[in-house]
Amino acid sequence: MVQPNPPRFLREGDELEFSVKVTNLSPTRQEGTVRLTLSDARTTDNVDAALGNVETDLNFEIPPKESRSYSWKLKVPDGQGFLIYKAVASTGKLSDGEEGYLPVLPRRIHVTESMPLPIRGA
């Protein structure tokens, strides 16, 4: 079972580690590869090289009923728009994957963090 842990959004110039948890739910040891690929959401062109994702496949070996995390270092270039990530783990016989969208915000948009403060009375 594959469970990616993507951020809510990225900003141009961000450097991050995109992590994926692979869980072996079977009663036997599993070996295979886990792959992370990234593509442009508008054109569906592969953008792995632009983000520094040169080694898309990582080998895994997971004991029964355990899980392991794998990560890829990425650097978001300027001008990068919406992304599609796809994380897939395969043993040759079994495979599982997940795909999702990842928005990339330009540097010029200011993002603030807010917190609600309830006020009682006057």
Side-chain angles (χ1 to χ4, degrees):
M1 185 164 95
V2 175
Q3 295 172 305
N5 187 23
R8 287 186 321 146
F9 62 89
L10 298 172
R11 291 176 78 68
E12 292 174 343
D14 278 355
E15 292 184 25
L16 71 139
E17 278 197 22
F18 192 107
S19 63
V20 172
K21 183 170 86 169
V22 181
T23 305
N24 178 7
L25 300 173
S26 73
T28 60
R29 179 178 215 79
Q30 298 292 327
E31 297 178 24
T33 59
V34 59
R35 171 182 292 165
L36 175 69
T37 55
L38 300 149
S39 56
D40 188 309
R42 286 174 289 163
T43 62
T44 66
D45 292 338
N46 188 297
V47 293
D48 285 320
L51 291 160
N53 189 20
V54 291
E55 190 177 341
T56 58
D57 293 4
L58 300 175
N59 293 323
F60 69 81
E61 187 174 324
I62 305 174
K65 307 293 184 195
E66 291 189 21
S67 58
R68 299 280 187 267
S69 291
Y70 300 90
S71 62
W72 292 262
K73 290 185 189 262
L74 306 174
K75 183 168 175 34
V76 182
D78 289 350
Q80 184 65 59
F82 246 69
L83 295 173
I84 298 174
Y85 68 87
K86 185 188 292 187
V88 178
S90 175
T91 63
K93 293 180 182 178
L94 304 169
S95 67
D96 184 40
E98 187 173 313
E99 181 177 275
Y101 290 99
L102 192 54
V104 178
L105 300 178
R107 292 176 191 260
R108 67 183 180 272
I109 294 177
H110 183 68
V111 177
T112 59
E113 187 173 327
S114 62
M115 189 171 78
L117 298 172
I119 299 174
R120 295 186 186 154

mmCIF file of all heavy atoms in Angstrom, residues 40-77:
data_model
loop_
_atom_site.group_PDB
_atom_site.id
_atom_site.type_symbol
_atom_site.label_atom_id
_atom_site.label_comp_id
_atom_site.label_asym_id
_atom_site.label_seq_id
_atom_site.Cartn_x
_atom_site.Cartn_y
_atom_site.Cartn_z
ATOM 1 N N ASP A 40 3.503 18.249 -15.529
ATOM 2 C CA ASP A 40 2.795 19.516 -15.612
ATOM 3 C C ASP A 40 1.300 19.215 -15.771
ATOM 4 O O ASP A 40 0.915 18.432 -16.641
ATOM 5 C CB ASP A 40 3.311 20.314 -16.803
ATOM 6 C CG ASP A 40 2.752 21.716 -16.841
ATOM 7 O OD1 ASP A 40 1.518 21.864 -16.753
ATOM 8 O OD2 ASP A 40 3.548 22.656 -16.972
ATOM 9 N N ALA A 41 0.457 19.824 -14.950
ATOM 10 C CA ALA A 41 -0.977 19.525 -14.976
ATOM 11 C C ALA A 41 -1.650 20.017 -16.255
ATOM 12 O O ALA A 41 -2.637 19.437 -16.686
ATOM 13 C CB ALA A 41 -1.672 20.132 -13.758
ATOM 14 N N ARG A 42 -1.115 21.083 -16.869
ATOM 15 C CA ARG A 42 -1.746 21.613 -18.084
ATOM 16 C C ARG A 42 -1.415 20.782 -19.316
ATOM 17 O O ARG A 42 -2.274 20.514 -20.138
ATOM 18 C CB ARG A 42 -1.305 23.054 -18.335
ATOM 19 C CG ARG A 42 -1.949 24.044 -17.378
ATOM 20 C CD ARG A 42 -1.369 25.404 -17.563
ATOM 21 N NE ARG A 42 0.005 25.336 -17.034
ATOM 22 C CZ ARG A 42 0.952 26.202 -17.290
ATOM 23 N NH1 ARG A 42 0.730 27.221 -18.074
ATOM 24 N NH2 ARG A 42 2.138 26.078 -16.752
ATOM 25 N N THR A 43 -0.149 20.373 -19.434
ATOM 26 C CA THR A 43 0.291 19.689 -20.655
ATOM 27 C C THR A 43 0.526 18.200 -20.451
ATOM 28 O O THR A 43 0.715 17.482 -21.420
ATOM 29 C CB THR A 43 1.602 20.311 -21.158
ATOM 30 O OG1 THR A 43 2.614 20.126 -20.163
ATOM 31 C CG2 THR A 43 1.425 21.794 -21.446
ATOM 32 N N THR A 44 0.575 17.739 -19.226
ATOM 33 C CA THR A 44 0.932 16.372 -18.820
ATOM 34 C C THR A 44 2.342 15.970 -19.256
ATOM 35 O O THR A 44 2.676 14.795 -19.286
ATOM 36 C CB THR A 44 -0.094 15.312 -19.316
ATOM 37 O OG1 THR A 44 -0.061 15.237 -20.731
ATOM 38 C CG2 THR A 44 -1.489 15.598 -18.801
ATOM 39 N N ASP A 45 3.196 16.962 -19.559
ATOM 40 C CA ASP A 45 4.603 16.683 -19.869
ATOM 41 C C ASP A 45 5.355 16.375 -18.581
ATOM 42 O O ASP A 45 5.109 16.987 -17.538
ATOM 43 C CB ASP A 45 5.266 17.886 -20.553
ATOM 44 C CG ASP A 45 4.708 18.144 -21.937
ATOM 45 O OD1 ASP A 45 4.151 17.198 -22.536
ATOM 46 O OD2 ASP A 45 4.819 19.293 -22.408
ATOM 47 N N ASN A 46 6.295 15.452 -18.661
ATOM 48 C CA ASN A 46 7.113 15.079 -17.508
ATOM 49 C C ASN A 46 8.028 16.242 -17.128
ATOM 50 O O ASN A 46 8.682 16.823 -17.987
ATOM 51 C CB ASN A 46 7.935 13.831 -17.846
ATOM 52 C CG ASN A 46 8.632 13.293 -16.630
ATOM 53 O OD1 ASN A 46 9.484 13.947 -16.046
ATOM 54 N ND2 ASN A 46 8.277 12.081 -16.253
ATOM 55 N N VAL A 47 8.075 16.589 -15.830
ATOM 56 C CA VAL A 47 8.919 17.687 -15.348
ATOM 57 C C VAL A 47 9.887 17.218 -14.256
ATOM 58 O O VAL A 47 10.382 18.034 -13.480
ATOM 59 C CB VAL A 47 8.060 18.877 -14.837
ATOM 60 C CG1 VAL A 47 7.315 19.540 -15.975
ATOM 61 C CG2 VAL A 47 7.118 18.453 -13.731
ATOM 62 N N ASP A 48 10.181 15.928 -14.210
ATOM 63 C CA ASP A 48 11.095 15.395 -13.199
ATOM 64 C C ASP A 48 12.461 16.069 -13.249
ATOM 65 O O ASP A 48 13.017 16.445 -12.224
ATOM 66 C CB ASP A 48 11.259 13.880 -13.357
ATOM 67 C CG ASP A 48 10.046 13.116 -12.854
ATOM 68 O OD1 ASP A 48 9.499 13.521 -11.815
ATOM 69 O OD2 ASP A 48 9.656 12.131 -13.498
ATOM 70 N N ALA A 49 13.020 16.231 -14.447
ATOM 71 C CA ALA A 49 14.354 16.818 -14.593
ATOM 72 C C ALA A 49 14.365 18.267 -14.110
ATOM 73 O O ALA A 49 15.312 18.702 -13.451
ATOM 74 C CB ALA A 49 14.811 16.727 -16.043
ATOM 75 N N ALA A 50 13.318 19.027 -14.399
ATOM 76 C CA ALA A 50 13.255 20.430 -13.987
ATOM 77 C C ALA A 50 13.193 20.569 -12.465
ATOM 78 O O ALA A 50 13.668 21.554 -11.908
ATOM 79 C CB ALA A 50 12.042 21.107 -14.619
ATOM 80 N N LEU A 51 12.615 19.578 -11.790
ATOM 81 C CA LEU A 51 12.496 19.612 -10.329
ATOM 82 C C LEU A 51 13.648 18.892 -9.628
ATOM 83 O O LEU A 51 13.661 18.794 -8.403
ATOM 84 C CB LEU A 51 11.163 18.996 -9.905
ATOM 85 C CG LEU A 51 9.943 19.821 -10.284
ATOM 86 C CD1 LEU A 51 8.691 18.979 -10.280
ATOM 87 C CD2 LEU A 51 9.786 20.981 -9.334
ATOM 88 N N GLY A 52 14.602 18.381 -10.383
ATOM 89 C CA GLY A 52 15.749 17.693 -9.791
ATOM 90 C C GLY A 52 15.459 16.264 -9.376
ATOM 91 O O GLY A 52 16.222 15.679 -8.609
ATOM 92 N N ASN A 53 14.391 15.683 -9.876
ATOM 93 C CA ASN A 53 14.038 14.303 -9.552
ATOM 94 C C ASN A 53 14.679 13.377 -10.588
ATOM 95 O O ASN A 53 14.016 12.848 -11.467
ATOM 96 C CB ASN A 53 12.515 14.139 -9.538
ATOM 97 C CG ASN A 53 12.081 12.792 -9.004
ATOM 98 O OD1 ASN A 53 12.829 12.109 -8.314
ATOM 99 N ND2 ASN A 53 10.864 12.412 -9.321
ATOM 100 N N VAL A 54 16.003 13.195 -10.477
ATOM 101 C CA VAL A 54 16.724 12.403 -11.479
ATOM 102 C C VAL A 54 16.607 10.910 -11.221
ATOM 103 O O VAL A 54 16.604 10.116 -12.152
ATOM 104 C CB VAL A 54 18.210 12.815 -11.555
ATOM 105 C CG1 VAL A 54 18.348 14.205 -12.144
ATOM 106 C CG2 VAL A 54 18.875 12.756 -10.193
ATOM 107 N N GLU A 55 16.521 10.507 -9.960
ATOM 108 C CA GLU A 55 16.366 9.090 -9.630
ATOM 109 C C GLU A 55 14.927 8.854 -9.196
ATOM 110 O O GLU A 55 14.585 8.940 -8.020
ATOM 111 C CB GLU A 55 17.338 8.690 -8.517
ATOM 112 C CG GLU A 55 17.404 7.201 -8.289
ATOM 113 C CD GLU A 55 18.431 6.820 -7.241
ATOM 114 O OE1 GLU A 55 19.324 7.610 -6.942
ATOM 115 O OE2 GLU A 55 18.310 5.706 -6.711
ATOM 116 N N THR A 56 14.062 8.549 -10.157
ATOM 117 C CA THR A 56 12.633 8.409 -9.866
ATOM 118 C C THR A 56 12.308 7.107 -9.158
ATOM 119 O O THR A 56 11.341 7.042 -8.412
ATOM 120 C CB THR A 56 11.805 8.505 -11.157
ATOM 121 O OG1 THR A 56 12.233 7.492 -12.050
ATOM 122 C CG2 THR A 56 11.944 9.867 -11.808
ATOM 123 N N ASP A 57 13.099 6.049 -9.389
ATOM 124 C CA ASP A 57 12.818 4.732 -8.797
ATOM 125 C C ASP A 57 13.758 4.442 -7.626
ATOM 126 O O ASP A 57 14.969 4.650 -7.727
ATOM 127 C CB ASP A 57 13.004 3.620 -9.836
ATOM 128 C CG ASP A 57 11.967 3.681 -10.941
ATOM 129 O OD1 ASP A 57 11.163 4.616 -10.950
ATOM 130 O OD2 ASP A 57 11.973 2.785 -11.796
ATOM 131 N N LEU A 58 13.189 3.961 -6.534
ATOM 132 C CA LEU A 58 13.959 3.517 -5.373
ATOM 133 C C LEU A 58 13.569 2.078 -5.065
ATOM 134 O O LEU A 58 12.386 1.727 -5.117
ATOM 135 C CB LEU A 58 13.678 4.394 -4.159
ATOM 136 C CG LEU A 58 13.994 5.885 -4.280
ATOM 137 C CD1 LEU A 58 13.544 6.616 -3.022
ATOM 138 C CD2 LEU A 58 15.471 6.104 -4.518
ATOM 139 N N ASN A 59 14.538 1.244 -4.739
ATOM 140 C CA ASN A 59 14.263 -0.154 -4.391
ATOM 141 C C ASN A 59 13.783 -0.237 -2.950
ATOM 142 O O ASN A 59 14.222 0.532 -2.090
ATOM 143 C CB ASN A 59 15.517 -1.011 -4.555
ATOM 144 C CG ASN A 59 15.924 -1.108 -6.002
ATOM 145 O OD1 ASN A 59 15.086 -1.177 -6.893
ATOM 146 N ND2 ASN A 59 17.212 -1.087 -6.258
ATOM 147 N N PHE A 60 12.877 -1.170 -2.698
ATOM 148 C CA PHE A 60 12.432 -1.393 -1.321
ATOM 149 C C PHE A 60 12.433 -2.883 -1.004
ATOM 150 O O PHE A 60 12.334 -3.728 -1.876
ATOM 151 C CB PHE A 60 11.043 -0.787 -1.057
ATOM 152 C CG PHE A 60 9.891 -1.463 -1.749
ATOM 153 C CD1 PHE A 60 9.327 -2.617 -1.235
ATOM 154 C CD2 PHE A 60 9.353 -0.916 -2.903
ATOM 155 C CE1 PHE A 60 8.247 -3.225 -1.863
ATOM 156 C CE2 PHE A 60 8.275 -1.515 -3.538
ATOM 157 C CZ PHE A 60 7.721 -2.676 -3.014
ATOM 158 N N GLU A 61 12.564 -3.154 0.274
ATOM 159 C CA GLU A 61 12.477 -4.505 0.831
ATOM 160 C C GLU A 61 11.827 -4.338 2.198
ATOM 161 O O GLU A 61 12.411 -3.744 3.099
ATOM 162 C CB GLU A 61 13.872 -5.113 0.963
ATOM 163 C CG GLU A 61 13.859 -6.551 1.363
ATOM 164 C CD GLU A 61 15.265 -7.150 1.337
ATOM 165 O OE1 GLU A 61 16.057 -6.789 0.464
ATOM 166 O OE2 GLU A 61 15.539 -7.968 2.228
ATOM 167 N N ILE A 62 10.594 -4.848 2.321
ATOM 168 C CA ILE A 62 9.821 -4.597 3.531
ATOM 169 C C ILE A 62 9.387 -5.921 4.156
ATOM 170 O O ILE A 62 8.761 -6.749 3.497
ATOM 171 C CB ILE A 62 8.580 -3.735 3.218
ATOM 172 C CG1 ILE A 62 9.009 -2.442 2.520
ATOM 173 C CG2 ILE A 62 7.805 -3.421 4.485
ATOM 174 C CD1 ILE A 62 7.874 -1.587 2.050
ATOM 175 N N PRO A 63 9.708 -6.134 5.442
ATOM 176 C CA PRO A 63 9.257 -7.332 6.148
ATOM 177 C C PRO A 63 7.735 -7.365 6.258
ATOM 178 O O PRO A 63 7.071 -6.346 6.089
ATOM 179 C CB PRO A 63 9.903 -7.198 7.532
ATOM 180 C CG PRO A 63 11.003 -6.212 7.366
ATOM 181 C CD PRO A 63 10.572 -5.301 6.262
ATOM 182 N N PRO A 64 7.167 -8.538 6.562
ATOM 183 C CA PRO A 64 5.707 -8.640 6.682
ATOM 184 C C PRO A 64 5.143 -7.730 7.772
ATOM 185 O O PRO A 64 5.756 -7.554 8.820
ATOM 186 C CB PRO A 64 5.468 -10.110 7.015
ATOM 187 C CG PRO A 64 6.785 -10.737 7.217
ATOM 188 C CD PRO A 64 7.846 -9.792 6.791
ATOM 189 N N LYS A 65 3.980 -7.157 7.493
ATOM 190 C CA LYS A 65 3.233 -6.324 8.444
ATOM 191 C C LYS A 65 4.009 -5.093 8.925
ATOM 192 O O LYS A 65 3.802 -4.617 10.026
ATOM 193 C CB LYS A 65 2.787 -7.141 9.661
ATOM 194 C CG LYS A 65 2.037 -8.400 9.336
ATOM 195 C CD LYS A 65 0.710 -8.114 8.729
ATOM 196 C CE LYS A 65 -0.037 -9.427 8.506
ATOM 197 N NZ LYS A 65 -1.145 -9.305 7.628
ATOM 198 N N GLU A 66 4.925 -4.557 8.095
ATOM 199 C CA GLU A 66 5.686 -3.371 8.451
ATOM 200 C C GLU A 66 5.594 -2.346 7.333
ATOM 201 O O GLU A 66 5.087 -2.634 6.254
ATOM 202 C CB GLU A 66 7.149 -3.726 8.721
ATOM 203 C CG GLU A 66 7.351 -4.532 9.980
ATOM 204 C CD GLU A 66 8.817 -4.682 10.350
ATOM 205 O OE1 GLU A 66 9.640 -3.861 9.888
ATOM 206 O OE2 GLU A 66 9.131 -5.624 11.088
ATOM 207 N N SER A 67 6.095 -1.150 7.587
ATOM 208 C CA SER A 67 6.113 -0.107 6.569
ATOM 209 C C SER A 67 7.445 0.629 6.605
ATOM 210 O O SER A 67 8.144 0.607 7.619
ATOM 211 C CB SER A 67 4.957 0.871 6.773
ATOM 212 O OG SER A 67 5.025 1.458 8.041
ATOM 213 N N ARG A 68 7.780 1.253 5.488
ATOM 214 C CA ARG A 68 9.019 2.015 5.349
ATOM 215 C C ARG A 68 8.690 3.300 4.599
ATOM 216 O O ARG A 68 7.803 3.340 3.757
ATOM 217 C CB ARG A 68 10.074 1.247 4.553
ATOM 218 C CG ARG A 68 10.503 -0.070 5.167
ATOM 219 C CD ARG A 68 11.509 0.150 6.285
ATOM 220 N NE ARG A 68 12.052 -1.097 6.764
ATOM 221 C CZ ARG A 68 11.581 -1.795 7.768
ATOM 222 N NH1 ARG A 68 10.510 -1.381 8.396
ATOM 223 N NH2 ARG A 68 12.147 -2.903 8.166
ATOM 224 N N SER A 69 9.453 4.352 4.892
ATOM 225 C CA SER A 69 9.292 5.626 4.202
ATOM 226 C C SER A 69 10.445 5.838 3.234
ATOM 227 O O SER A 69 11.582 5.485 3.537
ATOM 228 C CB SER A 69 9.260 6.785 5.192
ATOM 229 O OG SER A 69 8.079 6.735 5.942
ATOM 230 N N TYR A 70 10.123 6.419 2.093
ATOM 231 C CA TYR A 70 11.103 6.739 1.053
ATOM 232 C C TYR A 70 10.881 8.180 0.653
ATOM 233 O O TYR A 70 9.756 8.672 0.682
ATOM 234 C CB TYR A 70 10.942 5.791 -0.146
ATOM 235 C CG TYR A 70 11.140 4.361 0.262
ATOM 236 C CD1 TYR A 70 10.068 3.586 0.678
ATOM 237 C CD2 TYR A 70 12.402 3.802 0.290
ATOM 238 C CE1 TYR A 70 10.246 2.283 1.102
ATOM 239 C CE2 TYR A 70 12.593 2.500 0.707
ATOM 240 C CZ TYR A 70 11.516 1.744 1.112
ATOM 241 O OH TYR A 70 11.698 0.455 1.539
ATOM 242 N N SER A 71 11.954 8.884 0.293
ATOM 243 C CA SER A 71 11.796 10.294 -0.046
ATOM 244 C C SER A 71 12.682 10.701 -1.211
ATOM 245 O O SER A 71 13.707 10.067 -1.479
ATOM 246 C CB SER A 71 12.079 11.177 1.170
ATOM 247 O OG SER A 71 13.401 11.003 1.597
ATOM 248 N N TRP A 72 12.253 11.758 -1.874
ATOM 249 C CA TRP A 72 12.961 12.330 -3.021
ATOM 250 C C TRP A 72 13.161 13.810 -2.736
ATOM 251 O O TRP A 72 12.228 14.501 -2.318
ATOM 252 C CB TRP A 72 12.132 12.179 -4.297
ATOM 253 C CG TRP A 72 11.970 10.778 -4.749
ATOM 254 C CD1 TRP A 72 12.699 10.145 -5.711
ATOM 255 C CD2 TRP A 72 11.024 9.814 -4.277
ATOM 256 N NE1 TRP A 72 12.264 8.856 -5.860
ATOM 257 C CE2 TRP A 72 11.236 8.624 -4.989
ATOM 258 C CE3 TRP A 72 10.012 9.842 -3.325
ATOM 259 C CZ2 TRP A 72 10.483 7.485 -4.780
ATOM 260 C CZ3 TRP A 72 9.273 8.705 -3.104
ATOM 261 C CH2 TRP A 72 9.506 7.543 -3.828
ATOM 262 N N LYS A 73 14.367 14.321 -2.996
ATOM 263 C CA LYS A 73 14.644 15.748 -2.831
ATOM 264 C C LYS A 73 14.259 16.460 -4.114
ATOM 265 O O LYS A 73 14.663 16.056 -5.203
ATOM 266 C CB LYS A 73 16.119 15.974 -2.519
ATOM 267 C CG LYS A 73 16.508 15.490 -1.149
ATOM 268 C CD LYS A 73 17.946 15.849 -0.834
ATOM 269 C CE LYS A 73 18.390 15.176 0.412
ATOM 270 N NZ LYS A 73 18.346 15.971 1.585
ATOM 271 N N LEU A 74 13.470 17.527 -3.949
ATOM 272 C CA LEU A 74 12.982 18.302 -5.086
ATOM 273 C C LEU A 74 13.289 19.776 -4.872
ATOM 274 O O LEU A 74 13.323 20.248 -3.737
ATOM 275 C CB LEU A 74 11.472 18.128 -5.249
ATOM 276 C CG LEU A 74 10.931 16.706 -5.362
ATOM 277 C CD1 LEU A 74 9.411 16.730 -5.368
ATOM 278 C CD2 LEU A 74 11.469 16.035 -6.603
ATOM 279 N N LYS A 75 13.500 20.497 -5.965
ATOM 280 C CA LYS A 75 13.672 21.948 -5.945
ATOM 281 C C LYS A 75 12.758 22.526 -7.011
ATOM 282 O O LYS A 75 12.860 22.170 -8.179
ATOM 283 C CB LYS A 75 15.121 22.339 -6.217
ATOM 284 C CG LYS A 75 15.353 23.829 -6.129
ATOM 285 C CD LYS A 75 16.821 24.144 -6.120
ATOM 286 C CE LYS A 75 17.162 25.603 -6.154
ATOM 287 N NZ LYS A 75 16.334 26.525 -5.503
ATOM 288 N N VAL A 76 11.854 23.409 -6.594
ATOM 289 C CA VAL A 76 10.842 23.960 -7.491
ATOM 290 C C VAL A 76 11.409 25.162 -8.242
ATOM 291 O O VAL A 76 11.800 26.148 -7.618
ATOM 292 C CB VAL A 76 9.578 24.377 -6.702
ATOM 293 C CG1 VAL A 76 8.509 24.895 -7.632
ATOM 294 C CG2 VAL A 76 9.062 23.215 -5.873
ATOM 295 N N PRO A 77 11.457 25.094 -9.579
ATOM 296 C CA PRO A 77 11.974 26.233 -10.349
ATOM 297 C C PRO A 77 10.918 27.337 -10.488
ATOM 298 O O PRO A 77 9.731 27.106 -10.272
ATOM 299 C CB PRO A 77 12.291 25.615 -11.716
ATOM 300 C CG PRO A 77 11.307 24.501 -11.840
ATOM 301 C CD PRO A 77 11.114 23.966 -10.434
#
